[in-house]
């Protein structure tokens, strides 16, 4: 009878572990038997970062009713400040929008360009906890 109880307890612990795993929770057998202390299967990803738009001017002189600003499919390098350490590189979509998840802190956004034009000035931003910082990057097309 004791062996049967041990087998039943083992099956119960295994089923509880499977149920928790299905919910995305990792637990050890010892934690299941000693007052359920479970840990998330992964560390929580930050819920903060930067989102923005990149654009460039296309007209030397803007006329009434004419739109001279176009979205730009920019590549932007992100560096952590003050260490100037590379964090990530992102590319704006065809409509000029970009978004990247970052931990809270100070960052330098460095717009990339393989040529002299279009070009944009690096931007310093601060990312706060639980928020996305919005930024607008305007590239100079060189048209005068």
């Amino acid at each position: 009878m004791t062996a049967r109880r041990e087998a039943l307890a083992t099956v119960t612990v295994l089923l509880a572990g499977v149920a928790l795993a299905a919910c995305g929770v990792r637990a050890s057998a010892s934690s299941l038997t000693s007052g359920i202390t479970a840990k998330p299967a992964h560390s929580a990803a930050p819920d903060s970062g930067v989102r923005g738009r990149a654009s460039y001017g296309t007209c030397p002189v803007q006329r009434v009713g004419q739109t001279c600003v176009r979205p730009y499919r920019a590549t932007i390098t992100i560096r952590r400040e003050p260490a100037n350490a590379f964090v990530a590189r992102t590319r704006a979509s065809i409509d000029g929008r970009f978004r990247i998840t970052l931990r809270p802190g100070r960052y330098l956004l460095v717009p990339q360009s393989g040529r002299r034009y279009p070009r944009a000035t690096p931007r310093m931003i601060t990312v706060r906890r639980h928020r996305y910082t919005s930024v607008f990057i305007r590239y100079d097309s060189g048209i005068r």
Side-chain angles (χ1 to χ4, degrees):
M1 194 77 149
T2 306
R4 189 172 183 178
R5 279 191 174 165
E6 286 179 16
L8 184 58
T10 302
V11 169
T12 304
V13 167
L14 289 174
L15 288 175
V18 169
L20 287 172
C23 295
V25 176
R26 179 179 58 208
S28 65
S30 63
S31 70
L32 289 173
T33 57
S34 63
I36 304 182
T37 330
K39 298 177 183 173
H42 53 80
S43 62
D47 59 350
S48 56
V50 62
R51 68 173 153 233
R53 293 182 56 202
S55 68
Y56 70 102
T58 58
C59 309
V61 176
Q62 185 171 352
R63 295 186 178 98
V64 176
Q66 184 180 27
T67 301
C68 289
V69 177
R70 301 274 186 253
Y72 185 59
R73 190 148 195 210
T75 299
I76 301 160
T77 299
I78 301 163
R79 298 190 163 278
R80 180 84 178 197
E81 289 297 319
N84 198 31
F86 175 83
V87 174
R89 183 171 288 124
T90 188
R91 181 133 193 236
S93 63
I94 198 158
D95 67 353
R97 296 179 192 275
F98 62 92
R99 176 182 163 129
I100 190 162
T101 302
L102 299 168
R103 298 195 181 285
R106 289 177 38 119
Y107 295 90
L108 182 64
L109 304 183
V110 184
Q112 303 296 301
S113 180
R115 301 175 300 272
R116 184 173 173 174
Y117 290 101
R119 65 180 176 201
T121 312
R123 301 275 307 270
M124 183 69 71
I125 63 163
T126 300
V127 174
R128 307 228 184 270
R129 288 178 52 197
H130 312 299
R131 295 181 188 258
Y132 274 79
T133 300
S134 294
V135 65
F136 185 76
I137 298 178
R138 177 81 186 255
Y139 276 78
D140 179 359
S141 64
I143 297 175
R144 305 280 184 255

